Amino acid sequence: MQLSHNTSPFKKQKFLITLVCDHVTNAPNLGSLFRTADAFGVEKLVFCGANISLGRKMTKTSRATEKYVNYEMHSDISEVIKSLKTNGYHIVALEITTNSQSIQNHTFNKSQAIALIIGDENFGISEAVLQQADTVLHIDMYGQNSSMNVVQATTVALYEITKQLSL
């Protein structure tokens, strides 16, 4: 028998994870990020940049999770990162670079809040933002393509992070 939201055995839990979006603007992706943030108990979503619309297309995909996930909108991601660092967050960028390490080989500190930065659908995380990160992690890829959709990558990363934080 399939379980509903109210009958599932999962414990509701919030993790000290803030998801920071560097110019993610596609409405279906924004809606899916709300659903992913809700599913993994993310404390807050922060959308940074211009032309970020939380309209009807986004809410259709979010399935009302925007009502339950705390979120903020900011134009300047650098200021957001500075504030998070001041508040003791470990800044983790999710991007494939020459210096990134595999997320599955990284150990997350259970006692430190995490800010996970994800990037623009077409261009990823800007070089300036990568320079502000404490750690740059990637997801190992085994196929022909060198990347995946920003929401898919975020989901994989949050799975690994929350798995480690739950142990």
Side-chain angles (χ1 to χ4, degrees), residues 7-42:
T7 60
S8 71
F10 306 117
K11 178 178 88 173
K12 293 192 181 355
Q13 183 174 354
K14 286 283 185 197
F15 291 93
L16 292 176
I17 302 170
T18 293
L19 183 58
V20 181
C21 307
D22 183 14
H23 292 89
V24 176
T25 59
N26 177 276
N29 283 344
L30 296 173
S32 292
L33 286 169
F34 272 106
R35 289 184 75 180
T36 296
D38 177 59
F40 286 100
V42 168

Side-chain angles (χ1 to χ4, degrees), residues 97-118:
T97 72
T98 55
N99 297 318
S100 60
Q101 61 178 293
S102 173
I103 193 168
Q104 68 190 40
N105 295 329
H106 183 77
T107 302
F108 292 92
N109 182 343
K110 292 181 182 184
S111 63
Q112 186 175 26
I114 298 165
L116 178 63
I117 302 172
I118 61 171

